[in-house]
Amino acid sequence: MNRAIYSQLSAMMFLEFFIWGGWFVTLGTFLGNNLNANGGQTAMAFSTQSWGAIIAPFIIGLIADRYFHAERILGAIHLIGAVLMFLMANATEFSAFYPVALLYMILYMPTLALVNSVSFRQLQDPAKQFGQIRVWGTIGWIIAGLVISFVFSWDSVESVQQGLLRNTFMMSAVASLILGIFSFTLPKTPPVGGSENSKSLATIFGSDALGILKDRNYFIFFVASVLICIPLAFYYQYANPFLIEVQVENATGIMTIGQMSEVLFMLMLPVFILRFGIKVTLLVGMAAWVLRYAAFAMGDVGGSLPLLITGIALHGVCYDFFFVSGQIYTDRLAGEQHRSAAQGLITLATYGVGMLIGYWIAGRLYDVYTVDLGHNWVAIWGFPAIFALLILVIFALTFSDKASNGQ
């Protein structure tokens, strides 16, 4: 790989995820303390990610892939995003914040596909080389969290009370401005031609791959994937406010342990699948969800920092052993013809529908156990723990062992 192109693509990926990690992790804390948002409003704000995921295939499949250079639309979106981030930083009421956040995520979520498109078109051997580029995105997310906690201390109890978390949006706005300008210097990535330029709506939204659901095992996995996103939403929505409330210092920086573990377990995943098969791998991933929320609940009761850190560190197992192994399973079963459509279908179902439901439930429970019944984090974390355990048991009993052999 050309060193200059490697550097460009790595910088692009770093900034892409630095921007997201720079405000999304602390969003729940910001909303509660700066805008006095309740659980339902917080759920609405986090659900902008799901609406963005649902709309993203339309923007990429019907617009970007057909008419624009990927690097140019990437640059334009991030320049607009910088302005929207500035407006979010200066919002004083939720009614002003929400529509801007919704517009931002509708624009941002398609850029996740755009940075991949720019990368893949420049790599001679994507299977071997893409990981070297994508890891810089995880590093970007980690650095954003470390900057918030250990450089500026915006997430300290005192800073949160002073409203300084709005500075995270300003930091992301600056990074978005830089990436917006930088994107126009990236290697040219023109619209694809031929059959790619005439994708149907069925292909774009994954319905071309619906036939894969006729496989009993895959249908069980598909339903479990949607349902497991319900407890996942609890982590995204309330982990940061929870840690700050129980007075964990440098909470946002400590939460980057989750991304660090993600890198570690990603390296272990291929060996684990080969040794134990898909079913066991998926079960280990689901078991990690149960242990994570149990650790949070018990950590709140006893004030145990090691338990809380354990819950955070389990992110790598939760994500890699279920979602990444699930993507591998989907790719294996779909085959060459429906590969892209199948991945689009599972992404739409999980980050779109599953997370949307999860954010709503999390918001409702937060309101019940902080307003109606008094503050009770044990109950808030207990629900996703029990729910994940239920999914685990049903999956273990219904998913056939033949899937472990890749059949």
Side-chain angles (χ1 to χ4, degrees):
M1 187 192 319
N2 181 286
R3 181 169 296 182
I5 292 178
Y6 172 80
S7 298
Q8 283 183 297
L9 297 179
S10 298
M12 172 193 70
M13 203 66 76
F14 177 92
L15 288 168
E16 172 76 11
F17 286 88
F18 180 93
I19 292 166
W20 195 3
W23 68 277
F24 197 72
V25 175
T26 57
L27 177 60
T29 306
F30 167 82
L31 291 169
N33 288 272
N34 289 58
L35 304 183
N36 296 315
N38 58 32
Q41 290 172 324
T42 301
M44 287 176 61
F46 274 91
S47 294
T48 60
Q49 178 198 47
S50 297
W51 290 119
I54 292 170
I55 296 172
F58 175 82
I59 295 176
I60 297 300
L62 292 182
I63 300 175
D65 276 352
R66 297 181 180 216
Y67 304 113
F68 299 100
H69 283 232
E71 82 282 357
R72 294 176 187 173
I73 194 169
L74 178 68
I77 287 176
H78 278 296
L79 290 176
I80 296 171
V83 176
L84 296 175
M85 274 287 160
F86 177 81
L87 295 176
M88 291 161 69
N90 289 281
T92 57
E93 296 181 356
F94 183 80
S95 59
F97 178 89
Y98 175 72
V100 180
L102 178 60
L103 177 58
Y104 178 82
M105 289 306 279
I106 288 174
L107 291 174
Y108 177 82
M109 293 305 287
T111 66
L112 298 175
L114 287 171
V115 293
N116 289 345
S117 295
V118 172
S119 298
F120 284 129
R121 296 278 290 279
Q122 305 303 321
L123 303 178
Q124 289 79 37
D125 189 351
K128 292 183 178 180
Q129 297 173 324
F130 181 67
Q132 302 171 32
I133 303 296
R134 177 58 182 83
V135 70
W136 284 98
T138 302
I139 293 172
W141 185 290
I142 292 171
I143 295 298
L146 296 177
V147 168
I148 290 170
S149 286
F150 296 105
V151 177
F152 295 113
S153 297
W154 288 330
D155 61 347
S156 67
V157 174
E158 182 180 354
S159 295
V160 168
Q161 292 173 346
Q162 294 173 356
L164 297 184
L165 268 181
R166 70 176 64 253
N167 291 328
T168 60
F169 295 94
M170 295 300 296
M171 179 181 74
S172 293
V174 172
S176 189
L177 177 64
I178 293 171
L179 180 53
I181 296 171
F182 178 71
S183 294
F184 290 97
T185 70
L186 292 170
K188 303 299 181 186
T189 312
V192 291
S195 60
E196 286 293 322
N197 216 21
S198 57
K199 290 180 180 177
S200 66
L201 281 173
T203 300
I204 291 167
F205 289 99
S207 55
D208 269 358
L210 286 175
I212 196 176
L213 297 178
K214 295 178 182 178
D215 182 284
R216 178 181 177 275
N217 272 324
Y218 190 80
F219 179 78
I220 293 169
F221 161 74
F222 183 85
V223 173
S225 297
V226 174
L227 294 177
I228 205 69
C229 282
I230 294 175
L232 173 60
F234 279 75
Y235 180 76
Y236 285 153
Q237 193 157 308
Y238 289 121
N240 190 259
F242 164 65
L243 293 172
I244 290 175
E245 186 168 314
V246 297
Q247 299 185 343
V248 174
E249 295 184 9
N250 305 310
T252 310
I254 288 177
M255 285 182 68
T256 63
I257 293 173
Q259 279 65 48
M260 296 176 190
S261 73
E262 183 181 328
V263 175
L264 173 63
F265 286 104
M266 187 75 76
L267 298 175
M268 296 173 55
L269 183 61
V271 177
F272 197 92
I273 293 177
L274 185 63
R275 174 67 178 82
F276 297 102
I278 286 291
K279 179 177 180 177
V280 173
T281 305
L282 293 170
L283 286 172
V284 169
M286 283 187 279
W289 293 107
V290 180
L291 294 175
R292 155 181 275 182
Y293 295 118
F296 281 172
M298 292 186 293
D300 179 46
V301 172
S304 172
L305 183 60
L307 272 175
L308 299 177
I309 291 178
T310 298
I312 295 168
L314 281 169
H315 176 77
V317 187
C318 294
Y319 184 81
D320 293 338
F321 278 57
F322 190 84
F323 285 104
V324 177
S325 63
Q327 291 167 359
I328 294 171
Y329 177 44
T330 299
D331 182 81
R332 178 188 302 168
L333 202 61
E336 184 68 32
Q337 183 178 0
H338 297 299
R339 177 171 292 158
S340 296
Q343 295 291 350
L345 178 64
I346 193 67
T347 300
L348 183 66
T350 53
Y351 281 90
V353 178
M355 294 286 283
L356 198 61
I357 297 170
Y359 286 136
W360 181 81
I361 294 176
R364 294 284 293 177
L365 282 179
Y366 182 84
D367 281 341
V368 168
Y369 286 105
T370 58
V371 179
D372 299 338
L373 300 179
H375 202 86
N376 189 345
W377 280 110
V378 176
I380 293 173
W381 293 124
F383 175 85
I386 295 172
F387 193 85
L389 178 60
L390 180 63
I391 300 170
L392 169 65
V393 172
I394 295 174
F395 186 85
L397 294 175
T398 58
F399 192 88
S400 173
D401 284 333
K402 72 176 184 179
S404 298
N405 299 320
Q407 297 176 3

